[in-house]
Amino acid sequence: MPSVDQLIPFFIAAVIFAFIPGPAILYTAAQTMAKGKRGGAFAAFGIHIGGFFHIVAAAAGLSAIFNHAPIAYLVLKVCGALYLIWLGIGIIRGKLDTSELPHMKDHLKKKVFLDSMVVEILNPKVIIFYIAFLPQFVDPAASYPLWLQFIILGTINNILFTIVDICVIFLTSAVISGLKKSARSQKIMRWVSGSTLMGLGINLAVSER
């Protein structure tokens, strides 16, 4: 394992990154607005599991493909952007029945989880973050192999991000619970959450690395 002198700054930096508002936080808030606290929880869980895909890819060196084959990065980025936009349109066109929010049906839970996992996996910026951030804190001289250090540090980082997402769920849920349960407020929440996802998709599509 890296030394304590390396782990302390890693933890501090990871906490700071976790609390900086980013796509994952906005996505989780949007799903919470659209599908309630349980929907937000399944979205956060999907993002968390999807994050492990990037951690393993970074540890295995698969992320180097993006540096040698820019077209692979572009294809993944466009797919992720289109998927986010498609999800946003689906939320805006869908019906938000507030009476069902506390008791999400099993197929809806699975859909939210799978959608969120796919969104995370199709976001190449996540793996770029890991290959730029984690190598600063691994120790080649440590008894643990580099790939295992990547997994351990990546898991810690992923857990911190998930904790923040959970806080966002409760905060968003508290805000929307204070809104009047009317057709107008439901329509507004659909448009805000759907537009947020579409905006994230557009931003991903037009942004540089």
Side-chain angles (χ1 to χ4, degrees):
M1 281 290 293
S3 65
V4 175
D5 291 339
Q6 288 177 300
L7 285 176
I8 292 178
F10 162 76
F11 188 80
I12 294 175
V15 170
I16 293 175
F17 276 120
F19 278 94
I20 295 177
I25 289 179
L26 293 176
Y27 177 86
T28 303
Q31 289 287 14
T32 304
M33 290 184 66
K35 299 179 176 67
K37 188 184 298 183
R38 289 174 182 259
F42 277 93
F45 184 50
I47 292 174
H48 179 78
I49 298 301
F52 281 109
F53 170 84
H54 293 293
I55 294 171
V56 172
L62 297 180
S63 54
I65 294 176
F66 289 140
N67 293 326
H68 299 289
I71 188 65
Y73 177 89
L74 179 61
V75 170
L76 192 63
K77 184 176 73 168
V78 171
C79 289
L82 292 176
Y83 196 71
L84 276 169
I85 294 172
W86 178 75
L87 289 177
I89 293 174
I91 288 178
I92 291 175
R93 295 181 61 187
K95 293 183 178 180
L96 180 64
D97 186 353
T98 54
S99 65
E100 293 184 0
L101 292 184
H103 309 285
M104 286 187 67
K105 297 178 181 178
D106 290 339
H107 73 279
L108 291 179
K109 296 175 183 177
K110 183 178 180 180
K111 184 178 186 304
V112 172
F113 167 76
L114 292 177
D115 284 344
S116 303
M117 185 171 65
V118 171
V119 164
E120 183 74 355
I121 291 175
L122 290 179
N123 186 357
K125 287 191 172 184
V126 178
I127 196 169
I128 294 299
F129 167 78
Y130 278 119
I131 64 174
F133 179 61
L134 295 184
Q136 303 177 54
F137 304 98
V138 298
D139 183 5
S143 57
Y144 289 93
L146 290 178
W147 68 266
L148 183 56
Q149 294 184 56
F150 264 93
I151 295 293
I152 294 174
L153 294 178
T155 299
I156 294 174
N157 190 77
N158 201 16
I159 291 174
L160 289 173
F161 274 70
T162 301
I163 291 174
V164 173
D165 287 342
I166 292 174
C167 293
V168 171
I169 292 169
F170 281 98
L171 178 60
T172 305
S173 179
V175 171
I176 64 176
S177 65
L179 297 176
K180 185 178 180 181
K181 301 297 191 290
S182 64
R184 181 178 178 81
S185 63
Q186 292 176 26
K187 183 176 181 179
I188 292 175
M189 285 190 289
R190 283 205 310 271
W191 274 93
V192 171
S193 58
S195 298
T196 299
L197 296 189
M198 293 172 65
L200 289 173
I202 294 173
N203 178 71
L204 177 61
V206 302
S207 63
E208 300 292 336
R209 286 197 181 191

